[in-house]
Amino acid sequence: MIDDVVTVSAPARLHLGFLDPGGSLGRRFGGIGLALAAPRTTVGIRRAASDTINGASTRRVRDHLERLRGALDLKSAYAISVESAMPAHAGLGSGTQLALALACGLRRLEGLELDPEADAALLGRGNRSGLGVAFVTGGGVAVDGGKGTSDLPPPLIARLAFPETWRVILVMDPRQEGFHGPAELEAFATLPPFAEKDAARICQLVLLRALPGLAEQDLSAFGGAITEIQQMVGAHFASAQGGVFTSGKVAAACEWLAANGAHGIGQSSWGPTGFAFAATDEEAIQLVEGVTQAGLAEDLDLLIVEGRNRGIEISRTASLSRRLGTG
């Protein structure tokens, strides 16, 4: 019996801002984002006598499996284990990464070509952002070109490596969740029109400040552009989420970080996760210690993580019974 195990590790992502939420420039949404080294979603898959699913999000995994089985004409049953999962509805792309990790793992196990764009469309991911798909094939900072008329996720139009020495400070509020599902659709429907001049300004900031700053490893330029983008996008979403930040505690911690030398302050997607950038690990540690000493870390999780300059990782190994010749 063939019982190889495929293990897939998918990175979390920060959504650093939309380019044009209203589509006034011709394509809706568009976005800039960053792949993170942690947290991750890790999924193990092997063939089995019957379907078994263990770990987080079992119902979602089962639904995805059935759609993939039909679309890819899969004949086997599978044992699927979600060995680690990033926090759900925290603004880190957990749903998309879980769906694509499962799809990539099944394709690799069955000897099929990877097709993250088609799988994202099939599984209902990438309706607004192409960044989750972009971080299957690579990491770093990516920009997608917004949603046009295609059913596929928005196309990747730029990707640059994230400097190895820079660090990301994640400010996470485990007691809150960002909008998702029907609530997210309703929130989008209540937003006012996004001004064309603001969309043009954000595109200018991405093309002429954020990406050049990244290419030249100029954190002040990169961070300054991200902060301005976040202020504009956050103000637009404030009416739906109750402020520029979803979580008041995250907002207070991020305001302290901004006042004490951190760069690129903002909230990922609907939050509640906030973020900031530091030039070195030592600087990030000092900033996190400062937030804690200021009494602003209560009930929050503050993590220092690296960017990730590679995409989804897939490994295939023989199970113990196969290696011993007993399978």
Side-chain angles (χ1 to χ4, degrees):
M1 176 180 178
I2 299 174
D3 52 0
D4 288 358
V5 178
V6 168
T7 302
V8 186
S9 176
R13 65 99 179 99
L14 286 182
H15 197 283
L16 302 177
F18 283 121
L19 307 185
D20 186 4
S24 61
L25 301 179
R27 297 181 69 93
R28 195 172 184 197
F29 302 115
I32 178 171
L34 167 66
L36 300 175
R40 304 179 187 179
T41 289
T42 304
V43 179
I45 308 170
R46 64 176 176 84
R47 295 188 187 90
S50 61
D51 289 339
T52 60
I53 301 171
N54 296 306
S57 302
T58 55
R59 179 179 296 179
R60 179 177 286 183
V61 171
R62 190 173 298 279
D63 289 344
H64 291 335
L65 174 60
E66 289 309 309
R67 287 194 181 189
L68 289 162
R69 176 178 278 130
L72 302 179
D73 194 28
L74 303 177
K75 305 300 185 184
S76 299
Y78 302 95
I80 300 170
S81 175
V82 182
E83 298 168 6
S84 65
M86 63 189 77
H89 313 309
L92 298 173
S94 61
T96 297
Q97 299 311 90
L98 176 63
L100 294 179
L102 178 64
C104 290
L106 286 169
R107 282 179 175 272
R108 179 60 56 85
L109 185 64
E110 299 296 352
L112 302 174
E113 292 288 333
L114 299 189
D115 192 347
E117 292 85 1
D119 291 336
L122 172 71
L123 301 176
R125 315 308 303 184
N127 292 325
R128 284 171 291 279
S129 173
L131 297 174
V133 173
F135 294 139
V136 171
T137 56
V141 172
V143 179
D144 80 66
K147 191 72 173 177
T149 58
S150 171
D151 291 333
L152 295 176
L156 175 70
I157 58 173
R159 189 197 303 275
L160 289 174
F162 189 77
E164 298 290 341
T165 58
W166 291 4
R167 293 294 180 268
V168 185
I169 300 170
L170 299 181
V171 185
M172 306 172 71
D173 186 343
R175 300 188 177 194
Q176 289 195 240
E177 291 186 346
F179 287 128
H180 58 278
E184 181 182 22
L185 296 177
E186 182 179 349
F188 271 115
T190 65
L191 293 174
F194 196 77
E196 182 176 341
K197 65 178 179 61
D198 291 339
R201 174 60 178 165
I202 291 174
C203 291
Q204 180 186 48
L205 287 167
V206 169
L207 182 61
L208 298 179
R209 287 189 60 193
L211 295 183
L214 195 65
E216 296 178 345
Q217 300 195 16
D218 181 343
L219 182 55
S220 178
F222 173 76
I226 297 302
T227 296
E228 187 173 343
I229 291 168
Q230 282 285 317
Q231 289 170 344
M232 297 172 70
V233 175
H236 177 67
F237 284 88
S239 62
Q241 63 187 20
V244 173
F245 289 84
T246 298
S247 165
K249 288 181 177 292
V250 170
C254 285
E255 287 170 5
W256 188 96
L257 289 167
N260 287 272
H263 301 267
I265 312 299
Q267 173 182 283
S268 183
S269 190
W270 289 106
T273 300
F275 60 82
F277 298 96
T280 64
D281 193 56
E282 293 77 12
E283 184 177 304
I285 291 170
Q286 291 175 358
L287 287 165
V288 168
E289 289 177 346
V291 172
T292 304
Q293 291 167 4
L296 298 173
E298 185 177 357
D299 298 327
L300 298 177
D301 294 331
L302 274 68
L303 302 178
I304 299 171
V305 302
E306 299 177 15
R308 174 163 159 155
N309 288 318
R310 60 190 187 280
I312 209 166
E313 294 180 339
I314 308 174
S315 62
R316 182 168 183 159
T317 57
S319 70
L320 181 61
S321 62
R322 182 173 172 81
R323 282 184 275 124
L324 293 178
T326 59

